[in-house]
């Protein structure tokens, strides 16, 4: 099921890039994990004794809480591999100075505090760029740094609703539904990582960093994609279609004799071949169904006719027959079936990473495959403050007396 680590490792794409990450939950950590996977050194700054909120988002837990450590939820492990964790109290001046000392030698700063919060600690972009003019500073919030909603907090599920995604997700006669994973957070992480990489590239010709303002609601609106353009073109709100596609027919799930099938007919020739297999040649030749545009207009007729045929055979029968005639289709798998899938196994989409105890933890791999500078997997998500001492000592060159004082005062943990 898993692919273990191997040595030696080739060079990484972002070797030499250092990231200070004050973000928590999912969008920011997703972006910084991508940077870490690509070879950047990511120093995750967490609150002493508490850490990232997602450490508690369980069960399930990879590791339970102890007298000295909060728990490690499986959720936390999905977005925090390959990082170093330092526990710093940024509310005190000494803690703020540690962050500033890190920023002085870093390339990227990521945060998802409420608008204006970090200015109270002297950790806003205006202050940090004085320390490091080449700093790329990425702020992630629910609604952005400007506008009438800028002061509000934003969470994935509420943004899915407010940003229109729930209105087009779910069965036609059912209630609005959210997507089964925090897709807005994940997409915001992806957009943020792209923006950071673009800003790092821009430094080559501007010789300075810049500020990145990312908003979950902006991302949600952008990712409406064809549905947004459908609305802007027609001024009509798209309706929920369950598992059907608003612009392609047939492109949805169908009930088979023993389960469900995804039929994804992308063009008219595929539809013709499918109808030939079903002995529906006259149906395919009918002008009401022969082109996709007409099939969309006559969706109910097409779907009801095909549904009767598809229900007569098993899922695997349809997959075998449709693959022979190059009509896209697939099963509806459980996660157990996904991770037992021969293609997922071949692509090594599960890795085993060591935690601080040396135990190996299964994690989902990055989908990025680079030929010369591949993604590398060094460690599972860290314990809270696991690297505080080493960062203060080896990265910042603090002396032992200063480090001991910081621990004693509770500035670090």
């Amino acid at each position: 099921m898993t692919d273990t680590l191997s040595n030696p490792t080739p060079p990484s794409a972002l070797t030499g890039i250092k990231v200070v990450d004050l973000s928590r939950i999912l969008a920011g950590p997703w972006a910084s994990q991508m940077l870490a996977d690509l070879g950047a050194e990511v120093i995750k700054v967490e609150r002493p004794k508490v850490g990232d909120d997602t450490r508690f988002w369980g069960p399930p837990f990879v590791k339970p809480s102890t007298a000295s450590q909060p728990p490690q939820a499986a959720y936390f492990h999905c977005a925090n591999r390959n990082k170093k964790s330092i526990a710093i109290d940024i509310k005190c001046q000494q803690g703020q100075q540690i962050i500033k000392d890190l920023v002085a030698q870093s390339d990227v700063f990521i945060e998802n505090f409420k608008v204006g919060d970090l200015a109270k600690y002297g950790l806003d972009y205006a202050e940090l760029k004085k320390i490091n003019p080449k700093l790329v500073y990425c702020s992630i919030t629910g609604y952005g740094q400007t506008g009438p909603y800028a002061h509000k907090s934003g969470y994935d599920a509420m943004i899915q609703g407010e940003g229109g995604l729930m209105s087009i997700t779910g069965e036609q006669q059912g209630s609005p539904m959210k997507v089964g994973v925090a897709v807005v957070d994940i997409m915001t992480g992806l957009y943020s990582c792209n923006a950071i990489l673009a800003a790092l590239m821009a430094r080559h010709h501007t010789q300075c960093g810049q500020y990145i303002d990312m908003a979950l609601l902006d991302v949600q609106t952008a990712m409406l994609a064809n549905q947004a353009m459908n609305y802007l073109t027609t001024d009509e709100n798209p309706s929920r279609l369950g598992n059907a596609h608003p612009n392609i027919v047939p492109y949805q799930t169908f009930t088979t004799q023993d389960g469900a099938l995804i039929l994804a007919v992308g063009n008219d020739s595929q539809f013709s071949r499918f109808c030939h297999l079903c002995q529906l040649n006259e149906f395919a030749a009918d002008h009401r169904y022969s082109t996709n545009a007409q099939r969309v207009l006559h969706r109910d007729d097409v779907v009801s006719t095909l549904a009767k045929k598809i229900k007569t055979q098993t899922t695997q029968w349809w997959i075998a027959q449709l693959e022979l005639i190059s009509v896209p289709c697939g099963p509806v798998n459980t996660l157990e079936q996904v991770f037992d899938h021969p293609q997922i196994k071949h692509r090594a989409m599960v890795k085993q990473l060591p935690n601080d105890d040396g135990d190996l933890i299964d994690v989902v791999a990055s989908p990025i495959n680079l030929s010369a500078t591949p993604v590398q997997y060094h460690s599972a998500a860290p314990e809270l403050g696991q690297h505080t001492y080493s960062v203060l000592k080896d990265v910042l060159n603090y002396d032992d007396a200063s480090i001991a004082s910081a621990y004693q005062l509770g500035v670090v943990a």
Side-chain angles (χ1 to χ4, degrees):
M1 174 180 176
T2 55
D3 179 57
T4 55
L5 298 171
S6 59
N7 288 306
T9 55
S12 295
L14 297 182
T15 296
I17 296 296
K18 184 177 292 184
V19 180
V20 179
D21 182 14
L22 267 70
S23 69
R24 57 212 184 279
I25 314 292
L26 188 55
W30 198 267
S32 61
Q33 179 172 264
M34 289 184 66
L35 297 172
D37 286 348
L38 294 171
E41 179 184 4
V42 176
I43 299 174
K44 181 179 180 69
V45 181
E46 301 186 70
R47 294 168 293 172
K49 298 182 181 180
V50 179
D52 190 315
D53 304 66
T54 58
R55 288 183 180 275
F56 297 88
W57 286 10
F61 292 102
V62 173
K63 291 181 68 175
S65 60
T66 65
S68 61
Q69 283 286 332
Q72 288 186 11
Y75 196 116
F76 178 75
H77 276 264
C78 84
N80 289 288
R81 65 169 171 260
N82 287 339
K83 301 177 186 179
K84 297 176 180 178
S85 171
I86 62 174
I88 307 289
D89 183 0
I90 67 169
K91 294 181 180 179
C92 66
Q93 189 172 0
Q94 190 176 358
Q96 295 159 18
Q97 188 59 51
I98 292 172
I99 302 301
K100 291 175 181 179
D101 290 343
L102 284 171
V103 165
Q105 54 178 273
S106 296
D107 302 280
V108 178
F109 186 90
I110 304 174
E111 59 90 8
N112 65 342
F113 284 71
K114 290 182 181 179
V115 172
D117 271 11
L118 285 184
K120 296 183 295 187
Y121 311 124
L123 300 178
D124 55 311
Y125 178 61
E127 291 300 315
L128 294 188
K129 74 175 180 179
K130 296 175 184 176
I131 299 170
N132 183 353
K134 291 190 174 183
L135 183 69
V136 173
Y137 190 116
C138 180
S139 292
I140 301 173
T141 58
Y143 297 89
Q145 299 294 310
T146 60
Y149 282 34
H151 66 284
K152 293 184 61 176
S153 298
Y155 288 86
D156 180 275
M158 55 186 282
I159 298 295
Q160 285 195 40
E162 193 167 3
L165 183 59
M166 287 178 64
S167 76
I168 56 173
T169 306
E171 293 298 330
Q172 192 167 18
Q173 303 303 321
S175 300
M177 297 291 290
K178 72 177 184 66
V179 180
V181 295
V183 65
V184 183
D185 277 341
I186 291 170
M187 289 295 290
T188 301
L190 291 169
Y191 272 106
S192 297
C193 186
N194 278 327
I196 289 166
L197 294 175
L200 290 173
M201 289 295 294
R203 287 197 318 185
H204 292 296
H205 54 83
T206 66
Q207 302 304 310
C208 61
Q210 59 183 294
Y211 183 76
I212 301 170
D213 173 8
M214 297 296 305
L216 269 65
L217 185 60
D218 292 351
V219 171
Q220 172 59 90
T221 303
M223 62 183 273
L224 289 172
N226 60 299
Q227 292 281 39
M229 284 306 302
N230 290 347
Y231 170 75
L232 293 175
T233 301
T234 65
D235 286 331
E236 295 179 3
N237 282 314
S239 61
R240 290 187 296 280
L241 293 172
N243 292 319
H245 196 291
N247 302 109
I248 310 173
V249 175
Y251 195 110
Q252 64 181 77
T253 53
F254 287 92
T255 299
T256 65
Q257 196 177 81
D258 63 349
L261 173 80
I262 293 285
L263 181 64
V265 171
N267 58 53
D268 297 335
S269 62
Q270 290 174 358
F271 181 71
S272 177
R273 294 197 299 274
F274 176 79
C275 287
H276 179 73
L277 172 67
C278 296
Q279 299 180 336
L280 292 172
N281 290 334
E282 292 184 3
F283 185 80
D286 191 312
H287 74 277
R288 293 172 295 175
Y289 317 123
S290 58
T291 67
N292 181 70
Q294 287 297 310
R295 290 194 297 275
V296 170
L297 295 176
H298 297 89
R299 179 189 299 271
D300 291 344
D301 290 346
V302 174
V303 170
S304 62
T305 298
L306 300 189
K308 294 174 185 176
K309 286 286 185 178
I310 292 173
K311 202 168 185 178
T312 63
Q313 300 290 348
T314 66
T315 300
Q316 286 305 314
W317 186 90
W318 282 111
I319 290 173
Q321 295 299 314
L322 292 172
E323 286 182 349
L324 289 175
I325 59 174
S326 299
V327 172
C329 64
V332 179
N333 285 333
T334 64
L335 294 199
E336 179 182 11
Q337 292 168 318
V338 169
F339 288 112
D340 196 42
H341 196 293
Q343 187 69 10
I344 295 298
K345 289 182 175 180
H346 175 81
R347 300 288 289 182
M349 282 303 295
V350 175
K351 305 289 184 185
Q352 286 189 325
L353 302 184
N355 66 10
D356 61 303
D357 295 326
D359 297 327
L360 294 177
I361 296 174
D362 287 346
V363 300
V364 180
S366 169
I368 297 172
N369 293 284
L370 298 169
S371 63
T373 55
V375 168
Q376 295 181 18
Y377 303 89
H378 302 292
S379 60
E383 293 273 14
L384 175 60
Q386 180 181 337
H387 305 93
T388 301
Y389 178 82
S390 63
V391 168
L392 296 179
K393 182 72 173 177
D394 302 329
V395 177
L396 296 180
N397 296 317
Y398 285 7
D399 59 49
D400 288 335
S402 298
I403 297 173
S405 174
Y407 274 102
Q408 186 175 10
L409 294 172
V411 176
V412 302

